[in-house]
Amino acid sequence: MEIATRVWNHKWKIDPIVRSLIDTDFYKLLMCQSVFHNRPDVQVTFSLINRSHHVPLAKLIDEGELREQLDHIRSLSLTRGESTWLRGNTFYGKRQMFRPDFMEWFENLRLPPYFLERVGDQYELTFEGSWPEVMLWEIPALAVLMELRSRAVLDDMKKFELQVLYARATAKLWEKIERLRDQPGLKIADFGTRRRHSFLWQDWCVQAMSEGLGDRFTGTSNCLIAKNRDLEAIGTNAHELPMVYAALAEDDAALARAPYDVLADWHEEHEGNLRIILPDTYGTEGFLERAPDWLAGWTGIRIDSGDPERGAETAIDWWKTRGEDPTQKLVIFSDGLDEEKILELSRKFAGRVRVSFGWGTLLTNDFRGLTPDDRLAPFSLVCKAVSANGRPTVKLSDNPNKAMGPESEIARYKRVFEVGEQERRDVVV
Amino acid sequence: MEIATRVWNHKWKIDPIVRSLIDTDFYKLLMCQSVFHNRPDVQVTFSLINRSHHVPLAKLIDEGELREQLDHIRSLSLTRGESTWLRGNTFYGKRQMFRPDFMEWFENLRLPPYFLERVGDQYELTFEGSWPEVMLWEIPALAVLMELRSRAVLDDMKKFELQVLYARATAKLWEKIERLRDQPGLKIADFGTRRRHSFLWQDWCVQAMSEGLGDRFTGTSNCLIAKNRDLEAIGTNAHELPMVYAALAEDDAALARAPYDVLADWHEEHEGNLRIILPDTYGTEGFLERAPDWLAGWTGIRIDSGDPERGAETAIDWWKTRGEDPTQKLVIFSDGLDEEKILELSRKFAGRVRVSFGWGTLLTNDFRGLTPDDRLAPFSLVCKAVSANGRPTVKLSDNPNKAMGPESEIARYKRVFEVGEQERRDVVV
């Protein structure tokens, strides 16, 4: 637990939170390469959205400190070692996943400017520019805000209080791992970069998972940690691809096609375990019903909103109607998981479909119950593409509480994608 | 919790447990000076006694490692900084507590040889020579055996398991401190050197007490930690003084006088809070009944065996019969304390007598319940004077389970000191 000592020591000086351009999710780099080849000139705006209004970020976090952290990220460039790792490493069994033209571009990249304004007790933080550049702000921007919030709380604590806090968090994490390791056939990865408590804590959680779960721990979405700890980098694709493709559609017919166009591009670039469908952007059921047959041949489906059991049942039924054997298919759960839910889903679908888990915020930021007033509890902060070439983006999701976009556009998308009644579910993290 | 990392790292090399001649209890040095002036030529034998037969020390601890640690202690001598601290520091409000002739002797001291033999699953470890030299073996010998036992258990654990172990121990300790800090008027000191889990852990516990309890934490019995952490060194005197004085008595009349002769010598050397009676060596009740009036003028009484409430009531009654005001007197509890017992005694005697606590093994070695099979639970190991000038020593105590000496001698002492029926109490630590 040197973490506590380091936390205590760095109270008095600037200590960068993000120290590397690859301290980000692996799928961001995969998607970035795809965008770089297929849509390099699209202009996008990404915005920070704090879904947890009760957390007054602008009261907790000093604007000067936030600017220092963001400015530091703009000073970063890919190091030689990082470039060598990306160029030379094997990802998902494949060498040279990242092509030379992309790597050359990445090596010369600096992140574009940010726009920061305090509005009431919240910050408005936006990023504008070409899609492949702006998209790389998402993860570091979230990680900076999450960690500055942690530090704001930790700043009030004395040295031994910090030791006890991390001691309790360590014990809590280990109890989760002990419960998980009794589950046969478990496959689980760390997806917790964006809303982690801190970089050091995430690094720590990954080591704990690795020691505690052995090869049932399949790797981490964080490239820097994967590189430093010699683990697999894990990830596939996210909502921003269909959201931006959809925003660019010229008419309703093109809009209806957009989610499949994205995957057609992806299909050409990737195979095997990277062919994972994320079906919920505009409603899972309609998406699958209208999907072309070649999509049924993909390896699996990621369930990221709505009732996860229902999502998996829908996927299994869909594969069956398309003549596929579900036991050969993969379902990846990644929405708001904690160890109880992981165990429940794992037991529920054992033998019916291959299952794996992307465990995020409640792996790397479960400080619930460890401080008075729960001031370190994780909260729901996202950073999303809100427009593309001047047009607003829309997300419907399988949970209306995760929907985004202007109301009139949401109505249009619901019509185009034939989305009916949806079940509202609380978004905790 | 750098401790876990250091534990993990030192698995592969020799790492001395005792690194200083003042890594010992303060009262050992006070008693040593008294012996150096009053009985320097007495020849004594000290022996290790493992009261917890279920802990097979010789199976757990490698004899070679034990010899290495003991040999390392024999190579130690007082450093210049340690000597300066002992000569220049204020102890119990008094400068130059340690006189120049004693300091000169101490600066030239190396500890005498030890005799080690494996007998079954236990070690026989004895020390022979002049009293002031041999007596300084007690604390380091115990600390070495306790910590080698801890290390033997820790050796089987992986890095993260160690982190979790220390995380849990830290949380456990902090919960005790949180309970204690609500108690008004508490005065408590660390007496946990001899049966500590390890040096680093004791050092850690002391820092936790200091941060958590503020000035309700009065200091530590460990001179090295007191020096390094700028805390008060705490302690008075122990059973070995009356035990050796009694063994040297030429007849029953001299034997009956011996416990008071010890305190008469002490009376000349010390005042104030160092005038603390330890009455239980040959039975508290008889000792107090027959005590000379000048002893009733001493500052307090330490209760180290038997029922602590009864011991304190006996002391209060005694002071009253001798015309003393108990509310001006001090009772120090130091036998097998844990935080519940501390709180109970503190509440019970509030307003009736001044109370303070010497918290030992369950402060610095409470790893109960933290490992499978409780392999790190503390146990009852002592190192005692067993003979003086060829005559056996005897201790009766207020608890027959803590008595020592040949049976015939125990019978003689019981007769001389008029000790009747005694209540047996389990000895945990």
Side-chain angles (χ1 to χ4, degrees):
Chain A
M1 200 80 42
E2 292 98 328
I3 296 174
T5 307
R6 287 179 64 174
V7 164
W8 192 74
N9 289 337
H10 75 37
K11 278 188 185 175
W12 311 107
K13 60 182 188 292
I14 296 153
D15 183 11
I17 291 168
V18 174
R19 292 166 184 249
S20 158
L21 281 187
I22 69 165
D23 180 8
T24 193
D25 280 342
F26 178 64
Y27 78 169
K28 270 285 169 183
L29 301 186
L30 288 180
M31 291 190 291
C32 186
Q33 172 167 258
S34 180
V35 169
F36 174 78
H37 288 132
N38 297 307
R39 296 287 194 280
D41 299 323
V42 172
Q43 298 296 301
V44 295
T45 302
F46 271 61
S47 265
L48 189 83
I49 299 154
N50 180 8
R51 293 174 185 154
S52 303
H53 305 292
H54 66 279
V55 179
L57 286 178
K59 277 170 87 174
L60 290 168
I61 297 171
D62 177 73
E63 186 176 329
E65 273 184 62
L66 175 54
R67 287 186 185 276
E68 272 175 344
Q69 294 293 342
L70 297 170
D71 290 342
H72 181 76
I73 292 170
R74 291 201 64 211
S75 77
L76 295 172
S77 63
L78 209 59
T79 70
R80 191 194 292 201
E82 290 162 354
S83 178
T84 302
W85 183 76
L86 286 172
R87 285 174 181 269
N89 196 32
T90 303
F91 300 103
Y92 283 87
K94 184 177 167 186
R95 283 207 181 276
Q96 291 188 294
M97 174 78 75
F98 297 102
R99 286 146 58 178
D101 59 339
F102 172 73
M103 286 307 304
E104 200 172 309
W105 170 86
F106 195 17
E107 283 163 356
N108 289 296
L109 177 74
R110 300 286 184 288
L111 291 193
Y114 61 89
F115 304 93
L116 175 65
E117 201 183 339
R118 181 176 173 154
V119 179
D121 288 343
Q122 300 295 338
Y123 285 117
E124 277 190 2
L125 178 58
T126 56
F127 310 94
E128 291 175 19
S130 76
W131 190 9
E133 294 183 357
V134 169
M135 68 190 293
L136 294 179
W137 261 116
E138 178 183 349
I139 308 299
L142 291 171
V144 158
L145 278 151
M146 295 303 290
E147 185 163 345
L148 281 179
R149 187 270 204 147
S150 301
R151 290 186 185 183
V153 176
L154 300 174
D155 262 353
D156 295 340
M157 298 173 74
K158 288 191 286 184
K159 189 175 176 185
F160 204 84
E161 278 184 290
L162 284 169
Q163 292 282 357
V164 171
L165 173 71
Y166 283 104
R168 288 175 172 164
T170 299
K172 189 174 187 184
L173 171 63
W174 194 249
E175 277 155 28
K176 294 185 184 196
I177 291 172
E178 282 181 332
R179 256 172 272 152
L180 288 172
R181 70 173 161 200
D182 296 330
Q183 180 63 19
L186 189 71
K187 291 285 170 201
I188 191 165
D190 158 40
F191 277 21
T193 298
R194 67 189 63 204
R195 282 190 287 274
R196 66 196 182 195
H197 168 80
S198 72
F199 172 74
L200 289 175
W201 183 249
Q202 182 187 14
D203 189 40
W204 195 245
C205 293
V206 166
Q207 291 174 70
M209 293 281 280
S210 186
E211 183 180 308
L213 297 180
D215 59 10
R216 279 162 295 181
F217 177 60
T218 57
T220 171
S221 64
N222 187 294
C223 296
L224 183 64
I225 296 175
K227 171 179 164 289
N228 290 347
R229 303 285 171 197
D230 214 3
L231 295 164
E232 293 294 323
I234 301 286
T236 59
N237 56 70
H239 299 106
E240 73 173 283
L241 293 179
M243 285 167 72
V244 173
Y245 274 55
L248 298 173
E250 292 293 338
D251 53 36
D252 287 359
L255 175 59
R257 267 199 322 273
Y260 308 108
D261 292 346
V262 167
L263 299 185
D265 285 348
W266 197 260
H267 190 85
E268 294 195 3
E269 294 167 313
H270 301 295
E271 54 200 20
N273 277 350
L274 284 173
R275 287 188 179 162
I276 300 295
I277 304 165
L278 179 67
D280 67 329
T281 317
Y282 304 118
T284 293
E285 296 191 14
F287 175 90
L288 294 178
E289 263 169 43
R290 291 185 294 275
D293 275 336
W294 56 264
L295 257 187
W298 275 31
T299 307
I301 285 184
R302 179 158 73 95
I303 314 281
D304 200 45
S305 65
D307 176 358
E309 278 187 38
R310 182 173 159 192
E313 295 291 359
T314 303
I316 290 169
D317 290 344
W318 177 67
W319 279 313
K320 285 182 183 162
T321 63
R322 301 290 177 114
E324 300 283 337
D325 177 2
T327 64
Q328 303 304 305
K329 297 293 187 181
L330 179 65
V331 168
I332 301 176
F333 296 101
S334 62
D335 182 30
L337 296 172
D338 207 356
E339 92 284 4
E340 280 307 318
K341 187 51 109 179
I342 292 169
L343 289 171
E344 185 190 323
L345 292 167
S346 190
R347 290 186 202 112
K348 184 103 190 175
F349 292 99
R352 300 183 56 207
V353 68
R354 290 162 51 214
V355 169
S356 81
F357 297 90
W359 194 10
T361 310
L362 295 180
L363 167 60
T364 61
N365 198 358
D366 191 2
F367 282 65
R368 293 175 300 179
L370 302 183
T371 54
D373 307 325
D374 239 356
R375 295 191 301 153
L376 282 176
F379 61 104
S380 188
L381 190 69
V382 297
C383 181
K384 290 285 184 185
V386 293
S387 76
N389 287 352
R391 296 170 181 178
T393 64
V394 170
K395 180 179 168 189
L396 298 179
S397 171
D398 286 334
N399 178 2
N401 287 342
K402 282 184 159 186
M404 341 172 351
E407 266 183 51
S408 62
E409 285 296 296
I410 289 181
R412 176 181 160 233
Y413 275 61
K414 279 188 152 181
R415 179 173 47 75
V416 169
F417 291 106
E418 299 170 38
V419 173
E421 212 44 46
Q422 289 180 303
E423 182 195 355
R424 282 193 184 272
R425 297 170 67 89
D426 283 346
V427 178
V428 177
V429 287
Chain B
M1 200 86 37
E2 293 97 327
I3 295 174
T5 307
R6 287 178 66 174
V7 165
W8 192 73
N9 290 336
H10 76 37
K11 280 186 184 175
W12 310 108
K13 57 182 189 294
I14 297 155
D15 183 11
I17 291 169
V18 174
R19 291 167 184 248
S20 158
L21 281 188
I22 69 164
D23 180 8
T24 192
D25 281 341
F26 178 65
Y27 78 170
K28 269 286 170 182
L29 302 187
L30 288 181
M31 291 189 292
C32 186
Q33 172 167 259
S34 180
V35 169
F36 173 80
H37 288 133
N38 297 307
R39 298 285 194 281
D41 299 323
V42 171
Q43 298 295 300
V44 295
T45 302
F46 271 62
S47 263
L48 190 84
I49 300 154
N50 180 8
R51 293 175 185 152
S52 303
H53 306 292
H54 66 279
V55 178
L57 286 177
K59 278 170 89 174
L60 290 167
I61 297 171
D62 177 74
E63 186 175 330
E65 275 185 61
L66 175 53
R67 286 186 185 275
E68 271 174 343
Q69 294 293 342
L70 297 171
D71 290 341
H72 180 76
I73 293 170
R74 290 202 64 210
S75 78
L76 294 172
S77 63
L78 208 59
T79 69
R80 192 194 292 200
E82 290 161 355
S83 177
T84 301
W85 183 76
L86 287 172
R87 285 175 182 267
N89 197 32
T90 303
F91 299 102
Y92 283 84
K94 182 177 168 184
R95 284 208 181 277
Q96 290 188 295
M97 174 79 73
F98 296 103
R99 284 148 58 179
D101 60 339
F102 172 71
M103 285 307 304
E104 198 173 313
W105 170 84
F106 195 17
E107 283 161 358
N108 288 298
L109 176 76
R110 299 288 185 286
L111 291 193
Y114 61 88
F115 304 93
L116 175 66
E117 200 183 342
R118 183 178 172 151
V119 180
D121 289 342
Q122 300 294 339
Y123 285 117
E124 277 191 1
L125 178 59
T126 54
F127 310 93
E128 292 174 19
S130 77
W131 191 9
E133 293 184 358
V134 168
M135 67 190 293
L136 293 179
W137 260 117
E138 177 183 350
I139 308 299
L142 291 170
V144 157
L145 278 151
M146 294 304 291
E147 186 163 345
L148 281 178
R149 187 273 202 144
S150 300
R151 289 186 184 182
V153 175
L154 300 174
D155 263 353
D156 294 339
M157 298 174 75
K158 287 192 285 184
K159 188 176 174 185
F160 205 83
E161 279 183 290
L162 284 170
Q163 292 282 357
V164 172
L165 173 70
Y166 282 104
R168 287 175 173 165
T170 299
K172 189 174 187 184
L173 170 62
W174 193 249
E175 278 155 29
K176 295 184 185 194
I177 291 172
E178 282 182 331
R179 256 171 274 151
L180 289 172
R181 70 172 159 199
D182 297 330
Q183 180 64 21
L186 190 71
K187 291 287 171 198
I188 190 166
D190 157 41
F191 277 21
T193 297
R194 68 190 61 204
R195 284 189 286 273
R196 66 194 181 197
H197 168 79
S198 73
F199 172 74
L200 289 175
W201 184 249
Q202 182 187 16
D203 189 38
W204 194 245
C205 293
V206 167
Q207 291 174 70
M209 293 281 280
S210 185
E211 185 180 306
L213 296 182
D215 58 11
R216 279 162 293 183
F217 177 59
T218 55
T220 171
S221 66
N222 187 295
C223 296
L224 183 64
I225 295 176
K227 170 177 165 291
N228 291 347
R229 303 284 170 196
D230 213 1
L231 295 164
E232 293 293 323
I234 301 285
T236 58
N237 57 72
H239 299 106
E240 73 173 280
L241 294 179
M243 285 168 72
V244 173
Y245 274 55
L248 298 175
E250 292 294 337
D251 53 37
D252 288 358
L255 174 59
R257 264 197 325 271
Y260 307 107
D261 292 344
V262 167
L263 298 184
D265 285 346
W266 196 260
H267 190 85
E268 294 194 5
E269 293 168 313
H270 302 295
E271 55 199 20
N273 278 348
L274 284 173
R275 286 188 179 163
I276 301 293
I277 303 165
L278 179 66
D280 67 329
T281 316
Y282 303 118
T284 293
E285 295 189 16
F287 175 87
L288 293 178
E289 263 170 44
R290 290 184 294 276
D293 275 335
W294 55 265
L295 257 187
W298 274 34
T299 307
I301 285 183
R302 180 157 75 94
I303 314 282
D304 200 45
S305 66
D307 177 355
E309 277 187 39
R310 183 173 158 192
E313 296 290 358
T314 303
I316 289 170
D317 290 345
W318 177 66
W319 279 314
K320 284 182 183 163
T321 62
R322 301 290 177 115
E324 300 282 337
D325 176 2
T327 65
Q328 303 304 306
K329 296 291 184 180
L330 179 65
V331 169
I332 301 176
F333 295 103
S334 62
D335 182 29
L337 295 173
D338 207 357
E339 91 286 3
E340 280 308 318
K341 188 48 109 180
I342 291 169
L343 288 172
E344 186 189 323
L345 292 168
S346 191
R347 289 187 202 111
K348 184 104 188 172
F349 291 100
R352 299 183 57 207
V353 67
R354 289 161 53 214
V355 169
S356 81
F357 298 91
W359 195 8
T361 309
L362 295 179
L363 167 61
T364 60
N365 198 359
D366 190 1
F367 282 66
R368 294 175 299 179
L370 301 183
T371 53
D373 306 326
D374 239 355
R375 293 190 302 152
L376 281 176
F379 62 103
S380 189
L381 190 69
V382 295
C383 181
K384 292 285 184 186
V386 293
S387 75
N389 286 351
R391 297 171 181 178
T393 65
V394 170
K395 180 181 168 189
L396 299 179
S397 173
D398 285 333
N399 177 3
N401 286 343
K402 283 185 158 185
M404 349 173 343
E407 265 183 53
S408 62
E409 285 296 296
I410 288 181
R412 175 181 161 236
Y413 275 61
K414 280 186 152 183
R415 178 173 47 73
V416 169
F417 291 107
E418 299 171 37
V419 172
E421 217 37 50
Q422 287 181 307
E423 182 194 359
R424 282 194 185 270
R425 297 171 68 91
D426 282 347
V427 178
V428 177
V429 288

